């Protein structure tokens, strides 16, 4: 029979104030992991809730820990669903011509290209067993992704669209609830910025202006006196030029990669990640935390010091399932972030690389991250150990083997 002992001691310092708090968990039970083969559509894993009934302790990060550089994917991560159809709608509103293919037609053409490419690519998904093989596959999708944008350009979908059109559409989408930002986003972003860190957004989407417009509107509507400035958030994404030709800009320039300079693939997003983390917060090394939900986030998740996969409460999205299956196929551990150990928070002064991260974490929302050991909730033991969390001038975790008895 599993037993749990909680010891809560407070010593009194010479000045009469309370000293460090000492909290122990004895032989905490194994926490249930998410199901490995549930029916499709796949339900989201359920985060454990059997924490002790005590207020969160001080963060597991030391008082003088380096600041966090938080990089977020946009569609499906910072937002709860894809915003690309909403961006396309801006073009259809500006150009209500029956000669422009419907969005369904453009989407179906993309899927046709994708499946045709996947059917001939070797090694196939089931045969890919290494990170290098998976990265090569994701990079091979460059032409498929590029053709999708070029198809919209050729149709004249965004002819005459300007940045003000995009900003107004973004504001309306947030105000009318068509764009929903994931729970806890402002709390996490605000804390990172207040503590001297930096925040960035990376997207393969078609409009950085749309992202900025959504964030600006969402920050204006924040409650409880919380204040965020969109200007403090870096955004890396392609842009709609509009004008008469209806072109879209390429983030890396028209000449990048032989005229193929847009953010199309997981590798492109990692290139943007390199750019964003090149400037260190407060002039020092930082802990790079990347949060994403799909295959295009794969490179960034592994390159960051801490990679966190978003998994919906309820049913997981197709993109989330694909990323989870990829991690399992490549034997990459992915545990709930509530079980994270402090040694996962070490900053790496090198350029992000696949070798800097050996495991991933998952979270349902940004509250999961804010309330994880990254910021102050103690983690129950998974084995027969006493985990002692001491919080004084600095925070650290000590593990002691214990024999049930």
């Amino acid at each position: 029979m599993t037993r749990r002992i909680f010891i809560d001691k407070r010593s009194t310092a010479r000045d009469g104030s309370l000293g460090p708090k000492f909290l122990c968990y004895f032989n905490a039970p194994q926490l249930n992991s998410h199901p490995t083969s549930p029916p499709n559509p796949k339900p989201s894993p359920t985060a454990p809730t059997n924490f002790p009934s005590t207020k969160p302790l001080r963060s597991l990060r030391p008082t003088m820990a380096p600041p966090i550089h938080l990089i977020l994917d946009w569609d499906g991560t910072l937002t709860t669903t894809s915003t690309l159809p909403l961006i396309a709608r801006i073009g259809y509103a500006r150009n209500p011509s029956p000669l422009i293919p419907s969005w369904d037609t453009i989407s179906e053409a993309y899927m046709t290209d994708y499946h045709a490419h996947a059917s001939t690519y070797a090694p196939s998904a089931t045969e890919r067993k290494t990170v290098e093989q998976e990265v090569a596959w994701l990079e091979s999708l460059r032409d498929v992704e590029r053709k999708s944008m070029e198809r919209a350009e050729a149709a004249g979908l965004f002819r005459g669209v300007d940045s003000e059109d995009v900003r107004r559409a973004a504001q309306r989408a947030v105000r009318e609830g068509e764009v929903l930002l994931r729970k806890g986003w402002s709390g996490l972003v605000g804390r990172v910025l207040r503590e001297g860190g930096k925040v960035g957004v990376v997207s393969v989407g078609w409009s950085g202006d749309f992202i900025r417009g959504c964030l600006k509107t969402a920050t204006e509507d924040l409650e409880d006196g919380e204040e965020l400035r969109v200007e403090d958030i870096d955004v890396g994404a392609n842009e709609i030029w509009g004008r008469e030709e209806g072109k879209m800009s390429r983030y890396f320039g028209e000449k990048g990669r032989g005229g193929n300079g847009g953010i199309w693939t997981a590798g492109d997003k990692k290139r943007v990640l390199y750019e964003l983390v090149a400037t260190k917060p407060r002039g020092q090394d930082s802990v790079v935390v990347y949060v994403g939900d799909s295959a295009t986030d794969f490179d960034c998740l592994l390159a960051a010091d801490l990679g966190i996969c978003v998994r919906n409460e309820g049913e997981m999205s197709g993109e989330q399932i694909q990323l989870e299956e990829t991690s399992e196929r490549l034997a990459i551990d992915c545990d709930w972030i509530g079980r994270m150990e402090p040694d996962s928070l070490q900053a790496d002064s090198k350029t992000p690389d696949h070798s800097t991260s050996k495991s991933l974490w998952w979270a349902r929302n940004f509250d999961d991250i804010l309330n994880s050991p990254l910021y102050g909730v103690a983690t129950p033991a998974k084995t027969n150990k006493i985990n002692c969390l001491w919080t004084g001038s600095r925070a650290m975790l000590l593990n002691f083997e214990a024999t049930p008895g």
Side-chain angles (χ1 to χ4, degrees):
M1 180 176 180
T2 300
R3 291 178 293 171
R4 305 180 71 183
I5 299 175
F6 300 98
I7 306 172
D8 187 350
K9 296 182 178 178
R10 286 183 180 268
S11 60
T12 303
R14 293 181 178 179
D15 61 1
S17 63
L18 290 174
K21 185 174 181 179
F22 197 78
L23 180 63
C24 295
Y25 306 103
F26 176 69
N27 196 24
Q30 176 80 28
L31 300 177
N32 294 328
S33 60
H34 60 273
T36 56
S37 56
N40 193 22
K42 200 167 189 176
S44 173
T46 301
T49 58
N50 55 337
F51 286 117
S53 56
T54 182
K55 293 182 179 180
L57 304 179
R58 190 175 298 176
S59 171
L60 297 186
R61 302 177 68 238
T63 303
M64 300 304 294
I68 287 176
H69 200 147
L70 177 67
I71 310 295
L72 306 167
D73 168 57
W74 173 245
D75 285 314
T77 297
L78 195 45
T79 69
T80 57
T81 58
S82 173
T83 60
L84 191 54
L86 300 177
I87 295 173
R89 190 173 66 185
I90 301 170
Y92 287 112
R94 171 66 71 176
N95 300 289
S97 170
L99 299 178
I100 298 178
S102 68
W103 182 245
D104 285 343
T105 299
I106 293 176
S107 299
E108 288 169 5
Y110 166 80
M111 294 307 301
T112 298
D113 287 348
Y114 179 91
H115 290 303
H117 177 70
S119 66
T120 59
Y121 184 86
S124 65
T126 56
E127 295 170 334
R128 296 194 292 272
K129 302 299 183 182
T130 68
V131 168
E132 291 73 21
Q133 289 176 331
E134 195 66 25
V135 168
W137 150 253
L138 293 170
E139 190 61 24
S140 76
L141 293 169
R142 170 171 300 278
D143 286 344
V144 174
E145 301 294 340
R146 174 181 55 81
K147 287 178 181 177
S148 180
M149 181 183 280
E150 291 180 346
R151 196 173 286 118
E153 289 177 324
L157 176 58
F158 295 107
R159 186 177 293 116
V161 172
D162 59 28
S163 58
E164 188 57 33
D165 292 331
V166 176
R167 283 192 288 267
R168 283 197 300 267
Q171 181 183 60
R172 183 172 60 252
V174 172
R175 292 276 164 82
E176 296 180 359
E178 293 179 300
V179 171
L180 298 176
L181 299 186
R182 195 169 293 276
K183 180 182 177 183
W185 77 275
S186 60
L188 179 61
V189 169
R191 179 155 185 176
V192 169
L193 293 175
R194 286 194 303 274
E195 294 183 354
K198 296 185 71 175
V199 178
V201 177
V202 182
S203 175
V204 295
W206 292 356
S207 177
D209 279 340
F210 188 83
I211 295 173
R212 295 182 192 93
C214 288
L215 290 175
K216 181 174 178 58
T217 304
T219 55
E220 291 172 349
D221 296 341
L222 289 176
E223 299 177 352
D224 300 326
E226 188 170 16
E227 294 184 3
L228 291 175
R229 295 190 332 131
V230 175
E231 294 79 7
D232 294 330
I233 302 175
D234 298 317
V235 176
N238 302 304
E239 291 289 0
I240 297 173
W241 280 359
R243 304 174 186 169
E244 289 306 314
E245 63 271 24
K247 292 285 187 179
M248 287 177 271
S249 72
R250 274 64 168 159
Y251 181 84
F252 297 110
E254 289 297 305
K255 296 182 180 179
R257 291 181 178 249
N260 199 357
I263 304 177
W264 316 117
T265 66
D268 291 332
K269 293 180 80 169
K270 190 173 75 169
R271 290 170 67 195
V272 181
L273 175 68
Y274 290 166
E275 291 186 1
L276 294 181
V277 302
T279 305
K280 303 291 185 181
R282 297 196 309 219
Q284 58 180 287
D285 286 344
S286 58
V287 175
V288 179
V289 178
Y290 186 89
V291 188
D293 74 306
S294 70
T296 60
D297 299 306
F298 183 73
D299 278 19
C300 292
L301 287 165
L302 292 184
D305 296 311
L306 192 67
I308 303 172
C309 307
V310 169
R311 297 180 179 175
N312 291 341
E313 295 185 76
E315 292 182 355
M316 293 169 63
S317 69
E319 290 82 4
Q320 293 169 2
I321 293 172
Q322 183 184 36
L323 181 58
E324 181 189 37
E325 291 175 346
T326 297
S327 300
E328 291 175 351
R329 171 164 43 83
L330 301 180
I332 298 172
D333 292 336
C334 190
D335 200 356
W336 180 53
I337 195 169
R339 301 191 187 104
M340 184 177 62
E341 300 287 347
D343 58 9
S344 302
L345 310 180
Q346 301 302 314
D348 196 309
S349 59
K350 300 176 296 190
T351 299
D353 192 6
H354 291 138
S355 62
T356 63
S357 180
K358 302 300 182 183
S359 62
L360 301 176
W361 306 91
W362 65 263
R364 301 163 300 180
N365 50 51
F366 295 108
D367 279 346
D368 267 6
I369 300 173
L370 191 58
N371 295 324
S372 74
L374 180 63
Y375 277 117
V377 174
T379 308
K382 295 171 62 178
T383 58
N384 291 338
K385 293 182 178 181
I386 297 179
N387 287 352
C388 299
L389 181 63
W390 173 78
T391 59
S393 60
R394 294 176 68 85
M396 61 183 177
L397 183 69
L398 303 176
N399 289 321
F400 300 93
E401 298 289 346
T403 301

